[in-house]
Amino acid sequence: MSNIKKQDVVKLIIQFLRENNLNRSRSTLEKESNQTLNTVESKDRFLQDIIDGRWDVVLKQVNHLGIEDEKLFDLYEQITLEMIELNEKSTAELLLRRSNILRSLNEQYPDRYELMERYLDQLPTEAPQYTTEQRRKKISEQLKDEISVTPGSRLLTLLGQSIKWQQQQGILVPEASYDLFTGIVNVQQAEEDIFASKPYVSIKFPGKKTTHAECAAFSRNGHYMATGSVDGFIEIWNYLTGKLRKDLSYQANDRLMAMDKSVLCVQFSLDNTLLASGSSDGKIAIWKVKSGQCQRRIPAAHTEGVTSICFTKDGTQVLSASYDQTVRIHSLKSGRMLKEFRGHTSFVNAVLFSDDNTRVLSTSSDGTVKIWDVKTTNCLYTVSPQPIVEKGQLNPVGGLGTASVQTIVSIPKHPDQYLVCNKTNTLFIMTIRGQIIKTFSHNKSSDFVTAAISPQGNIVYGITEDAQMYGFQLNTGAKIGEVKVCENEVIGIASHPLSNVVVVYDDTGYVFFFKAP
């Protein structure tokens, strides 16, 4: 905004008022701001109208221009004399008696005004003395440098371009309702769920296999998509174009959010203003999304890498999981650990709060999902998902349940149900009480490595070791789609909260975007 002159903004408003015939408002603004808009849509046409004597057209435009009095005197004098020679007595009298310009002429140059009065009294005139092309051209030349050309509707055009640019940057969702005055975007409603199988754009991190995304997450409002990379950088992307969000000034100036080691997890706060990140050296950082500034660093959050992170509903605390086999809650105000949950015997891979924040759910490479009481930190349930299970049965520990549990995802519209992915050929739906109530399987030998859920919670996404993405109908369990997402090892998947868009990132530096066909 520092490059925009206030006078130019006033002129845009004056043009808008003029084009909409709000002349009293325009006149008041011109007087108070001491600004005038000496513009016409076509300068050549305006000057030609003077030469051709189209005075009705000329006067309509002149009334809106801030032309100096001396040149207006010449113009109005010429028009009045020509009206007399055309025997347009009433028009000439109207100009002489009511025109403010000619009143000023009478005060400053009474001789010139008297000449017109006498000429009017001589009607009818014999031969034209003043209606000559030479006199008109002289007036045209005088006004030539007084006016400039500007396209019409500049204010509306610029506002439209601004909205379009924000849509291209992902700030505004295309076709979303937008209140231009308040700057508020009406909340985007989640789309009807459709299997997102069509690739439409991709991101390639620099280098061959040296740099890649270790994690990705969407903000709750769907405006931001963040990635954390193995080289420690955290970037915000436009999910529509796959381009870096340059409307964020720190990214436009190449001042990226960054941690000292690989970023293993990122997650947005519920109000979309903060971003939490965890790194392979056990540190946590909390960032302001708009400014890129680090609000809080927790240098000793864990003794080993932070694998998963999420905010409490009120945004005052973060929950984290780690390779050190623990789950912890940290205060953002003090940076201190408030609570610790111990019981896993291997890496903790994913963690989240229950919908009411009274429970913590964690998944581990020890093959279990644990459900903890937040207040007491006691483990309430331990579940070992197995490919074959009776509906409603609580799984026993052991057996095939030793497969590493990779992730757990909450299901929209079902606050007490969660999607669980372990390294088998089956995905599971589990309740907050640890009951497996539904499974989704494929008949191939490749195990699932990651999973996600659609915006409305009707479609389950699962990706296997051979980079096949499967889609299952939540209610029926039926497979509704399958697509090969890449040729390399998939690290993870993230689903847009409102649109049928998923992103998949691999170990060679690619992030692939898929949408509904």
Side-chain angles (χ1 to χ4, degrees):
M1 288 295 292
S2 59
N3 295 326
I4 299 177
K5 297 179 180 179
K6 294 180 180 179
Q7 305 94 298
D8 292 339
V9 176
V10 173
K11 288 179 180 179
L12 287 171
I13 298 172
I14 290 173
Q15 184 194 45
F16 176 82
L17 296 174
R18 187 176 78 181
E19 291 174 340
N20 289 274
N21 294 319
L22 301 171
N23 294 319
R24 290 174 61 186
S25 300
R26 174 188 59 79
S27 178
T28 301
L29 180 58
E30 287 177 340
K31 290 177 182 177
E32 292 186 351
S33 65
N34 198 28
Q35 295 290 323
T36 55
L37 190 66
N38 290 356
T39 62
V40 293
E41 291 187 12
S42 174
K43 186 174 183 177
D44 291 339
R45 185 165 62 245
F46 174 73
L47 297 177
Q48 190 60 48
D49 285 340
I50 294 175
I51 295 172
D52 294 341
R54 299 191 186 96
W55 300 122
D56 55 337
V57 177
V58 172
L59 285 176
K60 286 180 181 179
Q61 297 188 67
V62 166
N63 286 335
H64 302 303
L65 301 177
I67 299 172
E68 64 180 60
D69 287 349
E70 292 295 332
K71 294 177 181 179
L72 285 176
F73 290 162
D74 292 343
L75 174 65
Y76 272 75
E77 183 181 42
Q78 178 65 26
I79 295 172
T80 304
L81 291 171
E82 289 197 19
M83 292 300 102
I84 295 171
E85 292 182 341
L86 288 171
N87 291 321
E88 294 285 349
K89 183 177 181 180
S90 59
T91 302
E93 286 179 338
L94 188 65
L95 286 168
L96 284 167
R97 308 288 184 264
R98 297 190 180 182
S99 169
N100 291 330
I101 300 298
L102 292 184
R103 285 176 184 173
S104 296
L105 175 68
N106 186 27
E107 293 173 1
Q108 297 183 44
Y109 304 101
D111 293 342
R112 293 172 62 180
Y113 187 87
E114 182 64 25
L115 184 148
M116 289 185 284
E117 286 282 12
R118 289 199 305 269
Y119 201 47
L120 179 63
D121 293 337
Q122 296 176 12
L123 278 176
T125 58
E126 298 179 358
Q129 300 179 43
Y130 301 101
T131 307
T132 65
E133 186 173 332
Q134 183 179 359
R135 288 177 61 91
R136 291 176 178 175
K137 281 185 176 181
K138 182 180 178 181
I139 293 173
S140 175
E141 287 296 321
Q142 287 177 341
L143 298 180
K144 185 176 182 180
D145 297 330
E146 287 282 322
I147 59 174
S148 58
V149 178
T150 184
S153 304
R154 285 295 296 155
L155 181 62
L156 297 181
T157 299
L158 290 172
L159 290 172
Q161 290 173 345
S162 173
I163 292 173
K164 185 176 181 181
W165 181 84
Q166 291 184 75
Q167 289 173 341
Q168 292 172 343
Q169 294 298 316
I171 304 170
L172 299 179
V173 178
E175 300 179 4
S177 178
Y178 179 66
D179 188 321
L180 189 61
F181 180 70
T182 62
I184 296 175
V185 184
N186 291 341
V187 177
Q188 182 189 2
Q189 300 300 313
E191 297 176 352
E192 179 183 351
D193 287 346
I194 302 174
F195 181 54
S197 59
K198 181 181 179 181
Y200 67 94
V201 74
S202 65
I203 299 169
K204 177 64 175 75
F205 285 82
K208 293 185 178 180
K209 293 191 70 171
T210 56
T211 305
H212 61 264
E214 283 280 359
C215 52
F218 284 98
S219 59
R220 285 297 187 96
N221 60 10
H223 293 175
Y224 303 115
M225 191 205 83
T227 58
S229 61
V230 71
D231 57 5
F233 288 109
I234 302 163
E235 294 161 293
I236 309 294
W237 303 88
N238 178 348
Y239 79 92
L240 297 173
T241 64
K243 302 294 185 182
L244 200 64
R245 288 281 296 265
K246 296 293 181 129
D247 60 299
L248 299 171
S249 60
Y250 57 96
Q251 294 198 150
N253 295 319
D254 294 326
R255 297 194 310 270
L256 301 180
M257 296 177 285
M259 303 189 74
D260 296 331
K261 299 294 182 179
S262 299
V263 180
L264 303 182
C265 56
V266 291
Q267 193 59 257
F268 289 91
S269 59
L270 295 185
D271 64 3
N272 312 294
T273 62
L274 300 177
L275 178 71
S277 62
S279 60
S280 60
D281 56 359
K283 297 178 181 179
I284 287 175
I286 309 298
W287 310 88
K288 293 182 179 180
V289 178
K290 289 288 188 181
S291 66
Q293 293 179 339
C294 186
Q295 177 175 290
R296 165 66 66 183
R297 291 188 189 273
I298 308 176
H302 288 272
T303 58
E304 296 182 39
V306 182
T307 57
S308 181
I309 197 165
C310 66
F311 286 87
T312 52
K313 277 188 173 181
D314 61 8
T316 62
Q317 301 170 7
V318 288
L319 174 70
S320 62
S322 172
Y323 288 139
D324 66 10
Q325 304 179 16
T326 68
V327 175
R328 294 175 177 176
I329 295 178
H330 312 268
S331 167
L332 294 189
K333 185 176 181 179
S334 66
R336 297 176 58 186
M337 182 182 72
L338 302 177
K339 294 187 178 180
E340 183 178 61
F341 306 83
R342 285 185 173 272
H344 283 296
T345 58
S346 186
F347 304 150
V348 185
N349 298 318
V351 69
L352 52 75
F353 280 108
S354 62
D355 186 63
D356 59 6
N357 276 200
T358 63
R359 300 287 186 268
V360 165
L361 298 91
S362 58
T363 70
S364 172
S365 294
D366 63 12
T368 67
V369 180
K370 287 185 179 291
I371 302 171
W372 314 80
D373 183 282
V374 170
K375 188 174 182 179
T376 66
T377 71
N378 291 332
C379 181
L380 304 177
Y381 306 98
T382 298
V383 182
S384 295
Q386 301 181 61
I388 300 175
V389 63
E390 294 294 328
K391 182 177 180 181
Q393 177 185 348
L394 185 64
N395 276 341
V397 176
L400 295 174
T402 56
S404 174
V405 187
Q406 302 295 94
T407 191
I408 184 168
V409 183
S410 59
I411 299 178
K413 300 183 179 181
H414 299 279
D416 62 339
Q417 296 181 15
Y418 302 88
L419 170 64
V420 176
C421 170
N422 67 356
K423 296 195 76 172
T424 67
N425 69 342
T426 303
L427 300 172
F428 308 85
I429 301 298
M430 184 191 76
T431 70
I432 192 64
R433 298 179 61 84
Q435 292 179 309
I436 302 296
I437 59 174
K438 194 167 294 183
T439 61
F440 311 91
S441 302
H442 65 83
N443 55 9
K444 297 181 182 179
S445 60
S446 185
D447 293 335
F448 286 109
V449 294
T450 188
I453 200 80
S454 61
Q456 299 278 15
N458 297 321
I459 298 175
V460 171
Y461 291 91
I463 299 181
T464 55
E465 294 170 318
D466 58 359
Q468 289 290 130
M469 182 167 68
Y470 293 86
F472 299 94
Q473 190 70 41
L474 179 69
N475 293 335
T476 66
K479 187 179 80 171
I480 58 174
E482 178 182 350
V483 61
K484 181 81 169 178
V485 293
C486 64
E487 300 298 327
N488 303 291
E489 181 180 341
V490 172
I491 295 176
I493 182 175
S495 176
H496 193 280
L498 302 171
S499 301
N500 291 302
V501 171
V502 295
V503 296
V504 178
Y505 41 103
D506 69 13
D507 65 346
T508 64
Y510 280 97
V511 180
F512 301 96
F513 294 73
F514 294 83
K515 64 181 180 180

